[in-house]
Amino acid sequence: LRALFGEVRDSLSDLNAFVAERLAGIEVVQLYSDEARTTAGHDRRVGRYLDANVRTNAWDAAMFAIVDGISAISLAVLL
C-alpha cells in the first residue's frame, strides 16, 4: 500500500510540474502550435494519476474490509 501511495505522489508531482511548465511557457507552446502534443502529454499524465488513485482506493477499501471482518469475527468469538 505504501508503494501505491508513492506512485500517487509521483504521478501527481509529475502532473503538477508539467502543468506549471506549460503555463509558464504558454507563449512558446502557442507560437509553435504545440497544443495537440501538450494536450496529449497532459492527458497521459492525468490518466496515470487516475489509475494510481483507483488502484490505491481499491486496495485501501479491501484492507479496511478485511480488518473490519476480522474485528467482527473476533467480537463474535468473544461473545
Side-chain angles (χ1 to χ4, degrees), residues 5-69:
F5 282 123
E7 187 178 339
V8 169
R9 280 193 316 269
D10 290 344
S11 62
L12 180 60
S13 67
D14 184 36
L15 178 61
N16 285 338
F18 182 80
V19 169
E21 287 174 2
R22 292 307 183 253
L23 287 177
I26 193 69
E27 295 90 5
V28 176
V29 170
Q30 290 173 343
L31 181 66
Y32 290 107
S33 299
D34 201 25
E35 292 92 349
R37 191 170 67 94
T38 299
T39 302
H42 180 266
D43 291 345
R44 186 173 57 251
R45 285 168 175 83
V46 167
R48 180 176 170 234
Y49 178 62
L50 177 66
D51 290 343
N53 263 320
V54 168
R55 277 197 313 275
T56 301
N57 288 341
W59 279 100
D60 192 39
M63 182 176 286
F64 180 79
I66 291 170
V67 169
D68 196 37

